[in-house]
Amino acid sequence: MKNVIVTGIPRADQPAVAELASLGVATVHEAQGRSGYLGPAIRPIQDGRRMGGTAVTALCWPGDNLMLHAAVEQCRPGDVLVVTTTSPCTDGLFGELLATSLAARGVAGIVIDAGVRDVSELRSMGFPVWSSAISAQGTVKQTPGAVNVPVAIRGQLIHPGDAIIADDDGVVCVPRADVAAVLDAARQRVAKEDRSRKALADGTLGLDLYGLRDKLAVLGVEYSEYRP
Amino acid sequence: MKNVIVTGIPRADQPAVAELASLGVATVHEAQGRSGYLGPAIRPIQDGRRMGGTAVTALCWPGDNLMLHAAVEQCRPGDVLVVTTTSPCTDGLFGELLATSLAARGVAGIVIDAGVRDVSELRSMGFPVWSSAISAQGTVKQTPGAVNVPVAIRGQLIHPGDAIIADDDGVVCVPRADVAAVLDAARQRVAKEDRSRKALADGTLGLDLYGLRDKLAVLGVEYSEYRP
Amino acid sequence: MKNVIVTGIPRADQPAVAELASLGVATVHEAQGRSGYLGPAIRPIQDGRRMGGTAVTALCWPGDNLMLHAAVEQCRPGDVLVVTTTSPCTDGLFGELLATSLAARGVAGIVIDAGVRDVSELRSMGFPVWSSAISAQGTVKQTPGAVNVPVAIRGQLIHPGDAIIADDDGVVCVPRADVAAVLDAARQRVAKEDRSRKALADGTLGLDLYGLRDKLAVLGVEYSEYRP
Amino acid sequence: MKNVIVTGIPRADQPAVAELASLGVATVHEAQGRSGYLGPAIRPIQDGRRMGGTAVTALCWPGDNLMLHAAVEQCRPGDVLVVTTTSPCTDGLFGELLATSLAARGVAGIVIDAGVRDVSELRSMGFPVWSSAISAQGTVKQTPGAVNVPVAIRGQLIHPGDAIIADDDGVVCVPRADVAAVLDAARQRVAKEDRSRKALADGTLGLDLYGLRDKLAVLGVEYSEYRP
Amino acid sequence: MKNVIVTGIPRADQPAVAELASLGVATVHEAQGRSGYLGPAIRPIQDGRRMGGTAVTALCWPGDNLMLHAAVEQCRPGDVLVVTTTSPCTDGLFGELLATSLAARGVAGIVIDAGVRDVSELRSMGFPVWSSAISAQGTVKQTPGAVNVPVAIRGQLIHPGDAIIADDDGVVCVPRADVAAVLDAARQRVAKEDRSRKALADGTLGLDLYGLRDKLAVLGVEYSEYRP
Amino acid sequence: MKNVIVTGIPRADQPAVAELASLGVATVHEAQGRSGYLGPAIRPIQDGRRMGGTAVTALCWPGDNLMLHAAVEQCRPGDVLVVTTTSPCTDGLFGELLATSLAARGVAGIVIDAGVRDVSELRSMGFPVWSSAISAQGTVKQTPGAVNVPVAIRGQLIHPGDAIIADDDGVVCVPRADVAAVLDAARQRVAKEDRSRKALADGTLGLDLYGLRDKLAVLGVEYSEYRP
């Protein structure tokens, strides 16, 4: 790990990111070809929130949140702080005071593959958090790390400036260069899903709507009457 | 795995299933001799809901929800769709559109040992879901599986047509042939628990209520005064 | 394991414990030098509750809640029942009836490194519960264990009579002899955090507030301009 | 759970089971349509052993091996003891003395979704064991269970008398009625794999041998030259 | 956590500890009433080794092995270094160089609830290691901790000077004051097991040897003939 | 995920990679600043092997090994096949026949964050394998993926052509452009460790060798005599 704080990163287009957020994580994930999802282990600490922003990344040592403080300074309004550790860690690297600082800078929220604490206070503040653990375990500020380097969370690569979308389904990352194309595909998908929803609500079966009956036959799936 | 869709399955008696649901998972589990529970990994995505119905089962390939679509057609009002995969999978096999289709058919809810997505929308719709993961990860429709074959979820066997009861404690399965007897035992248990609750609320100890003092003595448990 | 029920245990000072509870788990954990936390696997079954009390401990066999019944008798108003098993267990050792009995005795709540059930009812009753699982799986009353012996939960030692504080962040244990000193340190920490919160809300950076800029330099962290 | 010991179970044909064992777990699993595998959590405690036999099943309470003793009496030469618990358990339900007893009865080995102990001694004895844990934690003999009822291990149903095959890849179950057909399919698969192995060793690519080039094209997979 | 290095700790009687080691983990665990076992997650990195010694304990910060170096100085011939971290950690806190240092001091081996590395070299050296992970991930030396304080590993309390016994079954701790009594009980158990082994090898059933037939009847276990 | 097979990738310098392999995973990981390690979940299926090569990457759908076959064609002598899936999967995507094909092409080995099977045969062949699971569960060839795109395994990014080093400690990745510098640093580290090893074997303490006594004092670690 190179101990570096990268400044002056580019950001994805904010209005486009905001619209992606309004479309939701599952739709965006599908619109970019079923990729970019950070996996089921990163969960919101609050229900019913949507968030979109551009990634400022921080890479910390386990049990140490020093680089989180360095990352705050790199954040602008509309950013999302994305944090991971060099090896698995559940400690509470983030809490109310850091949230206060981020909120003061207009940061949209945080995504962290580690623990958070002061959960009652964070919920009261309304500061949006997605994390892989809730833990009161405190941390030190002794070991260097990096800010605004590419990081990988649960198999998904994130570059600083990428779009980060989060809701009740978790978190998805859209590479900065793909935001416009993904937004276009997502809008089309929403329109298509609206039509599908109506058909399904009216009783049309997915088997017919998606043309799956032939596929079942081709794959050798047979129908047979129940025998006790 | 035989690639088959079984039609015309029998169903457990609906009024009896509905009454079991009103009594709750823990009571039903106890009433059938502490069996039938699908384990603590299958959790509700909403709080405070109770659900009862008869199982339509689907066995899917990991990362593939083709057979879920085939299963929808086999569902009738009052059924519960019970889904598992041939190997462990957290992907979001089920979401809002499939829920719309199931709701249109009067299905009571879904129990799935895999992931679900569109959680915000599912909660808004009020469609009841118990799952082992929440994941936006999408799936393909490429690989055959089975509908209405016996499936095992976390060590518990489920036949199509069995009664499925779910609440905040998780999910319990009652074999179709046992529904009447289990209902009878569950009613008796509720009556007995009402009496126990009153006694305990009045200050009677479980040690006395259940006659455990003698048992402790027989087992060699001794009392001793605290020494610092 | 010695099969013993220890009576007449000492208790930590109740008003001090109550004040610790009002300060919260993360603060108390920090105030005693970042120790005493029971880890992220022990979670509340309800949101937004705080609890403080003195530990009555129970050590059970997996799948067996006999000693929980013995422990109830040792509880006084203001106690917290702390339960663990001799090997990992997710079964529902605790439910509504035991909660009724504890509530009748004025017990503040329960912390259990095992499963609980009747979650709907427990939430309705408002009886506070922190556990490592929710499971309807019932238990037997066949195997002896111990009450009011020291127990270790996830690496944290707990003696009977220690202070137990729990909130949305989890559970922390304060040794009985340390309660006064920890309370004093916790009050000071709260005062200091109030000042920090104001500074951070006004836009002061943690880098400056905590003097971390020099540390970053000493540790060799460098700043570099973004290059695409 | 019904507390019952079923006697006089039928057994799968022993010579056929022995031949299945010689063909190995992966081959047998494929030959019955990619089903029957007990999953990656059940591992051998020794390397390089193959085992085949007919299932005698035992269902135990967690932390309790009473029914293992009852199951021993139901075992005949060539049987495999298949053990699981009513909820997840890592305790050492099985060790050297039980192995001595099983060996004296000509039992082929044990498959257990729980812990085993005396691992050094079991390896010295050469008694084959597949388990989900190694644990010295002892058990009691206090709680009833069942012998020779159908059990499900990690999603796979096993009836008493089914064929059980185990090797370094884990454990597979073949329903008693399917043994002859699966053996026939397995022999054919081995013959086919011999031809494939030769072709692949000679440098033929799987893309060509299995006709996958067209499939890649149909699925829209494109080739592109590396760009730095 | 108090940052302290405790010197001059007492040690359990070495010849008694050596004899306990020769009897093995499972026997010692039983002899002290089925307690003291560190659980199935602490595994040996080598097969077929037995080790006994007296505990020198170290409590480290995650990702930091500073206190391991401090602990080495407190070790004497016949000691076992027992290491844990303040929160869960898989990093490689221990490797070949530390093993060289411990071997030079006559230390019997190490038990660590964290990762180790240089596994090839450790095996070649023949230095005995029980750990919860193997990981090449390196650590820093930045954060204080403690040496020779009581530590809890997976629910089991260990005081400095306690006897530590390890073999293929894992690790068991015997409190220093109990060593003589446990040794006496362990010898008796071995003698009894020798008799049992002979009887079982001759075909006597555990059901008869341990008098379990009556117990099954009392518990309501019934025999029934197999029905297809 | 873009469905693409990238051809003509560059490779790291083979002699340098071979020398890195001879120095071992832990040394290489340290030499590049404690980075590049794929984590403790990727384990060898054989003991005592070292492997070095250049990465050909494959990204597969869970339960589907189609792209593994496409990747084989892109492999040259000295390559290492690096495989992961779009969501977590334990199925046996790789076995003896694919190993035969890779061996025929001179491939050094495979690293796979999924399951492998035919473990007995793979060990007999001597084909080196590091995987996150052993599973006989078979796969289909139905869903597209990618070959030679960047992949992330457990938080570590790998580009095609990077150096992959593996031994008993797991797997480390060295970016292609860094191989020469890391090799130089690794050689220096080995020389330094040789000196340290001699000093430690002669009884010098790490506290003195690394100058840690002052650090302990600065960090406030105190020595205190044992009190019972």
Side-chain angles (χ1 to χ4, degrees):
Chain A
M1 182 174 51
K2 210 170 152 195
N3 299 328
V4 68
I5 298 167
V6 177
T7 60
I9 61 162
R11 262 85 175 177
D13 178 57
Q14 283 280 13
V17 173
E19 189 176 345
L20 283 175
S22 73
L23 301 178
V25 168
T27 295
V28 170
H29 160 78
E30 287 286 340
Q32 66 176 337
R34 290 193 193 114
S35 69
Y37 183 56
L38 270 62
I42 311 288
R43 297 295 307 146
I45 67 162
Q46 66 287 311
D47 287 344
R49 286 293 292 266
R50 290 190 180 218
M51 172 185 77
T54 45
V56 166
T57 67
L59 181 56
C60 294
W61 203 252
D64 195 303
N65 74 350
L66 173 62
M67 299 315 290
L68 255 169
H69 291 277
V72 172
E73 191 176 27
Q74 304 307 316
C75 288
R76 293 188 192 164
D79 283 345
V80 168
L81 190 48
V82 176
V83 183
T84 189
T85 50
T86 52
S87 58
C89 177
T90 61
D91 296 347
L93 271 73
F94 179 84
E96 181 210 3
L97 290 185
L98 274 161
T100 300
S101 193
L102 289 178
R105 297 179 76 81
V107 170
I110 186 170
V111 172
I112 176 168
D113 190 1
V116 298
R117 59 181 187 174
D118 304 327
V119 163
S120 306
E121 291 79 5
L122 293 169
R123 288 174 181 155
S124 297
M125 289 173 66
F127 189 82
V129 177
W130 282 254
S131 74
S132 54
I134 293 174
S135 172
Q137 179 70 37
T139 53
V140 295
K141 295 168 182 45
Q142 300 280 20
T143 304
V147 171
N148 280 332
V149 296
V151 295
I153 293 186
R154 313 263 165 165
Q156 175 59 38
L157 184 66
I158 301 163
H159 285 88
D162 284 350
I164 302 294
I165 311 298
D167 64 17
D168 288 335
D169 286 350
V171 183
V172 69
C173 172
V174 181
R176 185 168 54 94
D178 300 346
V179 164
V182 170
L183 178 54
D184 193 54
R187 286 172 182 153
Q188 291 177 38
R189 185 176 168 85
V190 167
K192 188 181 156 199
E193 287 208 336
D194 283 344
R195 291 190 296 273
S196 298
R197 192 179 297 106
K198 273 173 209 145
L200 294 166
D202 288 346
T204 304
L205 287 169
L207 285 184
D208 298 310
L209 189 66
Y210 308 124
L212 299 174
R213 289 194 194 278
D214 288 353
K215 190 163 223 172
L216 288 172
V218 167
L219 291 170
V221 179
E222 293 172 12
Y223 285 79
S224 82
E225 188 67 21
Y226 175 81
R227 284 173 306 181
Chain B
M1 182 173 52
K2 210 169 152 195
N3 299 328
V4 69
I5 298 167
V6 177
T7 60
I9 60 163
R11 262 86 174 175
D13 178 58
Q14 283 279 14
V17 173
E19 188 176 344
L20 282 175
S22 74
L23 301 178
V25 168
T27 295
V28 170
H29 160 78
E30 287 285 339
Q32 67 177 336
R34 291 193 192 114
S35 70
Y37 183 56
L38 270 63
I42 312 290
R43 296 296 306 146
I45 68 162
Q46 66 288 309
D47 286 344
R49 287 292 293 266
R50 289 188 181 219
M51 171 185 79
T54 45
V56 167
T57 67
L59 181 57
C60 294
W61 202 252
D64 195 303
N65 73 351
L66 173 61
M67 300 315 290
L68 254 169
H69 291 278
V72 172
E73 191 176 26
Q74 304 306 317
C75 289
R76 295 188 193 163
D79 283 345
V80 169
L81 191 48
V82 176
V83 183
T84 190
T85 50
T86 52
S87 58
C89 177
T90 60
D91 296 347
L93 271 74
F94 179 83
E96 181 210 3
L97 290 185
L98 273 162
T100 300
S101 193
L102 288 178
R105 298 180 76 80
V107 170
I110 186 171
V111 172
I112 176 168
D113 191 1
V116 298
R117 58 182 187 173
D118 305 328
V119 163
S120 306
E121 292 78 6
L122 293 169
R123 288 174 180 154
S124 297
M125 291 173 65
F127 189 82
V129 177
W130 282 253
S131 75
S132 54
I134 293 175
S135 172
Q137 179 70 37
T139 53
V140 295
K141 296 168 183 44
Q142 300 278 19
T143 304
V147 172
N148 278 334
V149 296
V151 295
I153 293 186
R154 313 263 165 166
Q156 176 59 37
L157 184 66
I158 301 164
H159 286 89
D162 284 350
I164 302 293
I165 311 297
D167 63 17
D168 288 336
D169 285 350
V171 184
V172 69
C173 172
V174 181
R176 184 168 54 94
D178 300 346
V179 164
V182 170
L183 177 54
D184 193 54
R187 284 172 184 154
Q188 290 176 38
R189 186 176 168 86
V190 167
K192 189 180 155 198
E193 288 208 336
D194 283 344
R195 290 190 297 274
S196 298
R197 192 180 297 106
K198 272 172 208 144
L200 295 165
D202 288 345
T204 304
L205 288 169
L207 285 184
D208 298 309
L209 189 66
Y210 308 124
L212 298 174
R213 289 193 195 278
D214 288 351
K215 191 163 223 171
L216 288 173
V218 166
L219 292 170
V221 179
E222 293 172 11
Y223 285 81
S224 81
E225 188 66 21
Y226 175 81
R227 284 172 309 180
Chain C
M1 182 174 50
K2 210 170 153 195
N3 300 328
V4 68
I5 298 168
V6 176
T7 61
I9 60 162
R11 262 83 175 177
D13 178 58
Q14 283 280 13
V17 173
E19 188 177 344
L20 283 175
S22 74
L23 301 177
V25 168
T27 295
V28 170
H29 160 79
E30 287 285 340
Q32 65 177 336
R34 290 192 194 116
S35 70
Y37 183 55
L38 270 62
I42 312 289
R43 297 295 306 146
I45 67 162
Q46 67 286 311
D47 287 345
R49 286 293 292 267
R50 288 188 182 221
M51 171 185 78
T54 44
V56 166
T57 67
L59 181 57
C60 294
W61 203 250
D64 195 303
N65 74 349
L66 173 61
M67 300 314 290
L68 255 169
H69 291 277
V72 172
E73 190 176 28
Q74 303 306 316
C75 289
R76 294 188 192 163
D79 283 346
V80 169
L81 191 48
V82 175
V83 183
T84 189
T85 50
T86 51
S87 58
C89 177
T90 60
D91 297 347
L93 271 73
F94 180 83
E96 181 210 4
L97 291 186
L98 273 162
T100 301
S101 193
L102 289 178
R105 297 179 76 81
V107 170
I110 186 170
V111 171
I112 175 167
D113 191 0
V116 298
R117 59 182 187 172
D118 305 327
V119 163
S120 307
E121 291 78 6
L122 293 169
R123 288 174 180 154
S124 298
M125 290 173 65
F127 189 83
V129 176
W130 282 254
S131 74
S132 53
I134 293 174
S135 171
Q137 179 70 39
T139 54
V140 294
K141 295 169 183 46
Q142 300 279 20
T143 303
V147 171
N148 279 334
V149 296
V151 295
I153 293 186
R154 315 263 165 165
Q156 176 59 36
L157 183 66
I158 301 164
H159 286 88
D162 284 351
I164 302 293
I165 311 297
D167 63 18
D168 288 335
D169 285 350
V171 184
V172 69
C173 172
V174 180
R176 184 167 55 94
D178 300 346
V179 164
V182 170
L183 177 54
D184 192 54
R187 285 173 183 152
Q188 291 177 37
R189 186 176 167 86
V190 167
K192 189 181 156 198
E193 287 207 337
D194 283 344
R195 291 190 297 273
S196 298
R197 192 180 298 106
K198 273 173 207 143
L200 295 165
D202 288 346
T204 304
L205 288 169
L207 284 184
D208 298 309
L209 189 66
Y210 308 125
L212 298 174
R213 290 193 194 277
D214 288 352
K215 191 164 223 172
L216 288 172
V218 166
L219 291 169
V221 179
E222 294 173 10
Y223 285 79
S224 81
E225 188 66 20
Y226 175 81
R227 283 172 308 180
Chain D
M1 181 172 52
K2 211 170 151 195
N3 300 327
V4 66
I5 297 167
V6 176
T7 59
I9 61 163
R11 261 85 174 177
D13 177 58
Q14 283 280 12
V17 173
E19 188 176 345
L20 283 175
S22 74
L23 301 178
V25 168
T27 294
V28 169
H29 161 77
E30 288 286 340
Q32 67 177 336
R34 291 193 192 114
S35 70
Y37 183 56
L38 270 62
I42 311 289
R43 297 294 306 146
I45 66 161
Q46 66 288 309
D47 287 344
R49 286 292 292 265
R50 289 187 181 219
M51 172 185 78
T54 45
V56 166
T57 67
L59 182 56
C60 294
W61 203 251
D64 195 303
N65 74 350
L66 173 62
M67 300 314 290
L68 255 169
H69 291 278
V72 171
E73 191 176 28
Q74 304 306 317
C75 289
R76 292 188 194 165
D79 283 346
V80 168
L81 191 49
V82 175
V83 184
T84 189
T85 50
T86 52
S87 58
C89 177
T90 59
D91 296 347
L93 271 74
F94 179 84
E96 181 209 4
L97 290 186
L98 274 161
T100 300
S101 193
L102 288 178
R105 297 180 77 81
V107 170
I110 187 170
V111 171
I112 176 167
D113 191 1
V116 297
R117 59 182 187 172
D118 304 328
V119 163
S120 307
E121 290 78 7
L122 292 169
R123 287 173 180 156
S124 297
M125 288 173 67
F127 189 83
V129 177
W130 282 253
S131 74
S132 54
I134 293 174
S135 172
Q137 179 69 38
T139 54
V140 295
K141 296 169 183 44
Q142 301 280 19
T143 303
V147 171
N148 280 333
V149 296
V151 294
I153 293 186
R154 314 263 165 166
Q156 175 60 37
L157 184 65
I158 301 164
H159 286 88
D162 284 352
I164 302 293
I165 310 297
D167 63 18
D168 287 335
D169 285 350
V171 183
V172 69
C173 172
V174 181
R176 185 168 54 94
D178 300 347
V179 164
V182 170
L183 177 54
D184 193 53
R187 285 173 183 151
Q188 291 176 36
R189 186 176 167 86
V190 167
K192 188 181 157 199
E193 287 207 336
D194 283 344
R195 291 190 297 274
S196 298
R197 191 179 298 106
K198 273 175 205 141
L200 295 165
D202 288 346
T204 305
L205 287 170
L207 284 184
D208 299 308
L209 189 67
Y210 308 125
L212 298 174
R213 289 193 194 278
D214 288 351
K215 191 163 223 173
L216 289 172
V218 166
L219 291 170
V221 179
E222 294 172 11
Y223 285 80
S224 82
E225 187 67 20
Y226 175 80
R227 284 172 307 181
Chain E
M1 182 174 50
K2 209 169 153 196
N3 300 326
V4 68
I5 298 167
V6 176
T7 60
I9 61 162
R11 262 83 174 178
D13 178 57
Q14 283 281 12
V17 173
E19 188 176 345
L20 283 176
S22 74
L23 301 178
V25 168
T27 294
V28 170
H29 160 78
E30 288 285 340
Q32 66 178 334
R34 290 192 193 116
S35 70
Y37 183 55
L38 270 63
I42 312 288
R43 297 295 306 146
I45 67 162
Q46 67 286 311
D47 287 345
R49 286 292 292 266
R50 290 189 179 217
M51 171 185 78
T54 45
V56 166
T57 67
L59 181 57
C60 294
W61 203 251
D64 195 304
N65 74 349
L66 173 62
M67 300 315 290
L68 254 169
H69 291 277
V72 172
E73 191 176 27
Q74 303 306 317
C75 288
R76 294 188 193 164
D79 283 346
V80 169
L81 191 49
V82 175
V83 183
T84 189
T85 50
T86 52
S87 59
C89 177
T90 60
D91 297 346
L93 271 74
F94 179 84
E96 180 210 3
L97 290 185
L98 273 161
T100 301
S101 193
L102 288 178
R105 297 180 77 80
V107 170
I110 186 170
V111 171
I112 175 167
D113 191 1
V116 298
R117 60 182 185 172
D118 304 327
V119 162
S120 307
E121 291 78 6
L122 292 169
R123 287 173 180 155
S124 297
M125 289 172 66
F127 189 83
V129 177
W130 281 254
S131 74
S132 54
I134 293 173
S135 171
Q137 179 70 38
T139 53
V140 294
K141 295 169 183 46
Q142 300 280 21
T143 304
V147 171
N148 279 334
V149 296
V151 295
I153 293 186
R154 314 264 165 163
Q156 176 59 36
L157 183 65
I158 301 164
H159 286 88
D162 284 350
I164 302 294
I165 311 297
D167 63 18
D168 287 334
D169 285 350
V171 184
V172 69
C173 172
V174 180
R176 185 167 55 93
D178 301 346
V179 164
V182 171
L183 177 54
D184 192 52
R187 284 172 183 152
Q188 291 176 37
R189 186 175 167 85
V190 167
K192 189 181 156 199
E193 287 207 336
D194 283 344
R195 291 190 298 272
S196 298
R197 191 180 299 105
K198 273 174 206 142
L200 295 165
D202 288 346
T204 305
L205 288 170
L207 284 184
D208 298 309
L209 189 65
Y210 308 124
L212 298 174
R213 290 194 193 277
D214 288 352
K215 191 163 221 171
L216 288 173
V218 167
L219 291 169
V221 179
E222 293 172 11
Y223 285 80
S224 81
E225 188 67 21
Y226 175 81
R227 283 172 308 179
Chain F
M1 181 174 51
K2 210 170 152 195
N3 300 327
V4 67
I5 298 168
V6 176
T7 59
I9 60 163
R11 262 86 174 176
D13 178 58
Q14 282 281 13
V17 173
E19 188 176 345
L20 283 175
S22 73
L23 301 178
V25 167
T27 295
V28 170
H29 160 78
E30 287 285 340
Q32 67 177 335
R34 291 192 193 115
S35 70
Y37 183 55
L38 271 62
I42 312 289
R43 296 296 305 146
I45 67 162
Q46 67 287 311
D47 286 345
R49 285 294 292 265
R50 289 188 181 219
M51 172 185 77
T54 46
V56 167
T57 67
L59 181 56
C60 294
W61 203 251
D64 195 303
N65 74 350
L66 173 62
M67 300 314 290
L68 254 169
H69 290 278
V72 171
E73 190 176 28
Q74 303 306 316
C75 288
R76 294 187 192 165
D79 282 345
V80 168
L81 191 48
V82 176
V83 183
T84 189
T85 51
T86 52
S87 58
C89 177
T90 60
D91 296 347
L93 271 74
F94 178 83
E96 181 210 3
L97 290 185
L98 273 162
T100 301
S101 193
L102 288 178
R105 296 180 77 79
V107 170
I110 187 171
V111 171
I112 176 167
D113 191 0
V116 298
R117 59 181 186 172
D118 305 327
V119 163
S120 307
E121 291 78 5
L122 293 169
R123 287 174 180 155
S124 297
M125 290 173 65
F127 189 82
V129 177
W130 281 254
S131 74
S132 54
I134 293 173
S135 172
Q137 179 69 38
T139 54
V140 294
K141 296 170 182 46
Q142 300 280 19
T143 304
V147 171
N148 279 334
V149 296
V151 295
I153 294 186
R154 314 262 166 165
Q156 176 59 37
L157 183 66
I158 301 165
H159 286 88
D162 284 352
I164 302 294
I165 311 297
D167 63 17
D168 287 335
D169 285 350
V171 184
V172 69
C173 172
V174 180
R176 185 168 55 93
D178 300 347
V179 164
V182 170
L183 177 54
D184 193 54
R187 284 173 184 153
Q188 290 175 37
R189 186 176 167 86
V190 166
K192 189 182 155 197
E193 287 207 336
D194 283 345
R195 291 189 297 273
S196 297
R197 191 180 297 107
K198 272 173 208 145
L200 294 165
D202 288 347
T204 304
L205 287 170
L207 284 184
D208 299 309
L209 189 66
Y210 308 125
L212 298 174
R213 289 193 194 277
D214 287 352
K215 190 163 222 173
L216 288 173
V218 167
L219 292 170
V221 179
E222 293 172 11
Y223 285 80
S224 81
E225 188 67 20
Y226 175 80
R227 284 172 307 180

